[in-house]
Amino acid sequence: MPGAFTAFREVVYRGELRPHEIVQARASLGTCLEALLSSPLLADLVRCAPHEIVPPDAGPLAFEPVPGHPAWAALDLAYLHHAAESCGGRIGAPTWCVCDVKSGRPHEDDGLQLAAYALCLATHYGLPATGGAYLGRAVYLRTGDDVWFVLGEAELAAARETIRRDVEGMRRLLGATPRERLAAGRYGLAGDPRACTRCNFFALCEEEIALRRGALWEPR
C-alpha cells in the first residue's frame, strides 16, 4: 500500500531488532563512517563559510510547495557549493546544493527526493537558485558513489506535482475504510500475507489484511 505514493515514507515501525540485526547494523555503521570521513563532500564543506552551511535540523521541516498541500522534509545537509569542477561543471559556482547521505544503494527516485529538498530550501529558508537551478548531491556510503543532479524548473515542477498527487492520495486514503480501499484495487497487498507482519507499515494495513485473509483473500 505505501508504495502507491512516492512521497509516503516510513512512518510506523512496530518491530524489534534481533541480536544478529544489531551486529549487522554495527558493521554497516562502521563502513559508512569510514566512507563519510573519506568523502569529497567534506573537502567541499571546508570551502564554505559558516553561514554557507545549513546543518541538519532537529526534525522534519514543514514547507508548502503547493498551496494547501503541506509537506515535510528531513534534509541531511545543504551548503553553498563553490567548486564547479567537482560536480563535473554541471552548473556554475557558487550554487546552493542539497545533499543526502545514504547508507543504501542508488534508487530511481533519489533525484526526485533531492528536488523536493530543494523546494524546502527555497520555501523554508528562502535560499535562491543560481541561474534558475539548484544542485542535488547523493553520497552513497556503501558503494562510494557521489552522484550529482541539476535541479532546474522541470525537476522542481515534477517534485511539486508528486507532492500534490501524493498529499491528495493520502487524504483519500484517510477517508476510506479498509474494505473500500481493498475493493478499489488501488493498493496491492503482498502475495504472501506472512511477510506482511514483518513490514514496517503493518499497522497501516492490518485491518485490510484481515479482510483479505477472509472472503476477499485472493493469492497472486
Side-chain angles (χ1 to χ4, degrees), residues 35 100-107 110-111 138-147 149:
D100 198 44
V101 180
K102 295 180 174 293
S103 59
R105 301 182 186 280
H107 190 275
D110 290 344
V139 179
Y140 302 95
L141 300 179
R142 184 173 298 180
T143 63
D145 294 322
D146 197 345
V147 181
F149 302 82

Side-chain angles (χ1 to χ4, degrees), residues 25 48 54-55 61 72-74 76 79-80 102 116 143 145 147-148 198:
C48 298
V54 179
L61 300 173
W72 288 262
D76 283 352
Y79 68 98
L80 195 61
K102 295 180 174 293
T143 63
D145 294 322
V147 181
W148 294 87
R198 299 191 295 272

Side-chain angles (χ1 to χ4, degrees), residues 182-205:
L182 193 62
R186 291 177 295 166
Y187 311 105
L189 298 176
D192 180 4
R194 293 171 298 179
C196 292
T197 58
R198 299 191 295 272
C199 175
N200 292 353
F201 296 103
F202 182 67
L204 302 178
C205 305

Side-chain angles (χ1 to χ4, degrees), residues 19-99:
H20 75 278
E21 292 173 329
I22 296 174
V23 172
Q24 291 173 351
R26 181 176 179 179
S28 177
L29 286 173
T31 301
C32 290
L33 180 59
E34 291 178 5
L36 179 60
L37 293 176
S38 61
S39 170
L41 171 64
L42 298 187
D44 288 335
L45 292 176
V46 169
R47 295 185 173 96
C48 298
H51 67 277
E52 295 175 338
I53 299 176
V54 179
D57 227 26
L61 300 173
F63 67 109
E64 194 168 299
V66 181
H69 295 72
W72 288 262
L75 279 72
D76 283 352
L77 179 72
Y79 68 98
L80 195 61
H81 186 76
H82 289 273
E85 68 280 2
S86 68
C87 63
R90 288 175 172 81
I91 197 169
T95 304
W96 282 104
C97 176
V98 286
C99 182

